[in-house]
Amino acid sequence: MKEKLKKHIEKVIPLTDDEYLFVVSHFSFKNYKKNDILIQQGEKVKYCYFVVSGLLKLVYGDKNGKQHIVSFAMEDWWESDFSAYFTQTKAKMSLQCIEDTNVFCITLEDYQKLSIDLPKMQSFFLKKSNSGHIASQYRILSFLTSNAKERYEQLLKQYPSLFQRVPKTLLASYLGVSREPLSRLSS
């Protein structure tokens, strides 16, 4: 499992074996079962997660009890309620396992310490953060400029494996449609 994190980091920055041992010492490894909740809306966010295996969903529950899928996170992705994580405030979203999931977790304290003690990790985290920000902007633009069918086709093109791993009701929520229109889009 540790090799997956090393390979992921080394796609962005090189690490010596000693540097990697230092990096991984700042993380903890956890196993979760399907439906386990890693972050509960309204509670403090302790970790940012790197997904080694499995699949997560980041969900916003509105005041009417409706669940909105903000994102999915599969292997090689990072996920958290980043606003709450970085500001150390209560989560506005929940993070839940769609499948049995293995993750590396890092606290904000360890994230900051690692960035200071090994400056090239700050570059790594910045690149990952920028990539996430860009993806979020594309998602917003997609909602502003594309119809449901176009969003469906783009998601299918970008992440075809999601369609085998995620129930249609969750895909529909992510795309901003009900399950019935999603069935029409996929036929």
Side-chain angles (χ1 to χ4, degrees), residues 8-168:
H8 176 75
I9 294 170
E10 287 184 330
K11 287 177 190 173
V12 179
I13 59 166
L15 290 174
T16 67
D17 289 341
D18 286 342
E19 286 173 333
Y20 181 67
L21 288 174
F22 178 71
V23 167
V24 80
S25 72
H26 290 79
F27 286 84
S28 56
F29 184 78
K30 296 184 185 280
N31 301 301
Y32 292 97
K33 296 289 182 197
K34 181 178 179 177
N35 298 319
D36 281 355
I37 296 175
L38 287 68
I39 297 172
Q40 181 66 53
Q41 190 171 348
E43 294 182 3
K44 199 159 185 188
V45 176
K46 188 172 181 179
Y47 297 111
C48 177
Y49 300 91
F50 171 72
V51 181
V52 175
S53 65
L55 184 62
L56 303 171
K57 64 178 179 177
L58 189 65
V59 180
Y60 173 72
D62 68 22
K63 61 184 176 189
N64 298 321
K66 185 173 180 187
Q67 300 290 305
H68 304 272
I69 306 291
V70 175
S71 64
F72 296 107
M74 59 181 124
E75 294 81 7
D76 253 13
W77 291 11
W78 294 83
E79 193 60 91
S80 189
D81 178 330
F82 289 108
S83 174
Y85 175 75
F86 284 111
T87 61
Q88 290 296 279
T89 56
K90 291 182 180 179
K92 291 179 178 47
M93 297 175 276
S94 296
L95 186 62
Q96 185 175 19
C97 296
I98 296 173
E99 301 171 350
D100 290 352
T101 302
N102 299 311
V103 293
F104 278 102
C105 317
I106 189 166
T107 64
L108 182 60
E109 181 181 347
D110 278 326
Y111 176 100
Q112 291 169 334
K113 184 175 180 353
L114 189 54
S115 295
I116 291 167
D117 294 345
L118 189 60
K120 63 174 140 179
M121 281 303 293
Q122 188 171 26
S123 294
F124 169 78
F125 288 134
L126 179 60
K127 180 165 178 135
K128 288 297 163 182
S129 177
N130 287 343
S131 295
H133 185 70
I134 290 165
S136 292
Q137 286 184 339
Y138 280 137
R139 179 156 153 72
I140 292 166
L141 285 174
S142 172
F143 267 89
L144 294 173
T145 62
S146 304
N147 62 39
K149 184 167 182 56
E150 291 167 333
R151 291 194 304 272
Y152 174 87
E153 289 169 352
Q154 181 61 33
L155 186 65
L156 181 59
K157 182 180 171 186
Q158 242 182 326
Y159 307 110
S161 68
L162 277 180
F163 288 79
Q164 281 74 50
R165 298 173 73 181
V166 177
K168 284 191 180 202

